[in-house]
Amino acid sequence: MSQVRVHNFAVSIDGYGTGEGQTLEAPFGHAQARLMQPWFFGTRTLQAMQGGDAGSFGIDEAFASNWGTGIGVEIMGRNKFGPQRGPWTDEEWIGWWGENPPFHTPVVVLTHHPRPVLELEGGTTFHFVDAEPAEALAIARELAGGLDVRIGGGVNTVRQFLQADLVDRMHLAVVPIVLGRGENLWHGLEGIESRFTVEVVSSPSGVTHQTWTRA
């Protein structure tokens, strides 16, 4: 069976995956770009997403580049797709990424307010569903064509799939900053490390890359 994977998921050393106060202008709230800038922005993986061919080849790139290999679908939460809450007041919003998002696969967006399927350039199709993790995973696997499923975030979505014991592999980039507030990945997950084998690699960027593999 296909695996369920988390990649390039950055958290502060106190466990926050996003800051408080997300807005259109501040997708990561008060954390701003501090969770991604030290290690991800300079990688060839990000440069390629933006149409470039430059970027680093170091440890950070080695982890970042695993993001798309073997992935047939992504599952993301409503607040990764956009800053709106509650019923959709603007269905013209097509996500943070514009007409050609970097996914190039189907994407299942978890929301209590479904809307019609949104087809964009490059093979990205957003499916908006109201579903619990196991049901959403079943939908995603139907769309994945036998390939793996990536849980893309945000924090609450990754935490729900961990709570439901549905994650096979997880890459965390632990960034040496203290956010103090926002959404904490580990809330309610005491002892979860017992389900996984955890390997750790340090990068010159100051980030610690953790690979969690189902034991």
Side-chain angles (χ1 to χ4, degrees):
M1 182 177 290
S2 64
Q3 289 199 323
V4 179
R5 296 157 43 188
V6 177
H7 285 281
N8 299 346
F9 198 78
V11 296
S12 62
I13 57 174
D14 53 343
Y16 290 92
T18 191
E20 188 175 79
Q22 183 196 51
T23 65
L24 180 62
E25 295 75 23
F28 290 93
H30 84 285
Q32 300 177 339
R34 289 182 289 162
L35 287 169
M36 306 303 288
Q37 192 280 329
W39 70 280
F40 186 64
F41 286 177
T43 62
R44 292 183 67 83
T45 293
L46 180 64
Q47 298 301 315
M49 288 179 185
Q50 298 175 337
D53 58 3
S56 69
F57 281 102
I59 293 172
D60 296 327
E61 167 60 16
F63 279 93
S65 63
N66 292 325
W67 175 83
T69 305
I71 295 294
V73 65
E74 170 158 326
I75 298 174
M76 69 171 63
R78 164 78 177 271
N79 298 141
K80 179 176 177 179
F81 180 75
Q84 298 183 48
R85 305 293 193 274
W88 297 95
T89 58
D90 178 12
E91 290 195 6
E92 294 184 2
W93 173 262
I94 60 173
W96 304 100
W97 310 275
E99 294 283 351
N100 189 4
F103 308 105
H104 309 302
T105 65
V107 178
V108 175
V109 180
L110 302 179
T111 174
H112 294 304
H113 303 278
R115 55 181 271 192
V117 172
L118 175 63
E119 297 185 20
L120 296 177
E121 296 175 13
T124 301
T125 304
F126 291 101
H127 301 258
F128 302 88
V129 302
D130 185 2
E132 294 299 313
E135 182 184 359
L137 180 56
I139 294 169
R141 281 190 161 130
E142 286 291 323
L143 296 168
L147 297 175
D148 288 350
V149 177
R150 182 176 58 236
I151 309 301
V155 178
N156 186 50
T157 298
V158 173
R159 188 170 57 235
Q160 285 185 51
F161 277 81
L162 288 170
Q163 287 173 328
D165 197 21
L166 295 174
V167 174
D168 298 301
R169 267 193 292 158
M170 177 169 66
H171 162 229
L172 296 181
V174 182
V175 183
I177 61 173
V178 176
L179 290 179
R181 54 196 167 96
E183 294 189 36
N184 195 293
L185 177 64
W186 304 121
H187 180 72
L189 292 178
E190 179 180 355
I192 193 173
E193 71 280 356
S194 64
R195 302 184 204 161
F196 295 87
T197 299
V198 183
E199 298 180 356
V200 178
V201 176
S202 296
S203 164
S205 66
V207 167
T208 302
H209 294 282
Q210 299 183 356
T211 303
W212 294 56
T213 306
R214 183 185 290 277

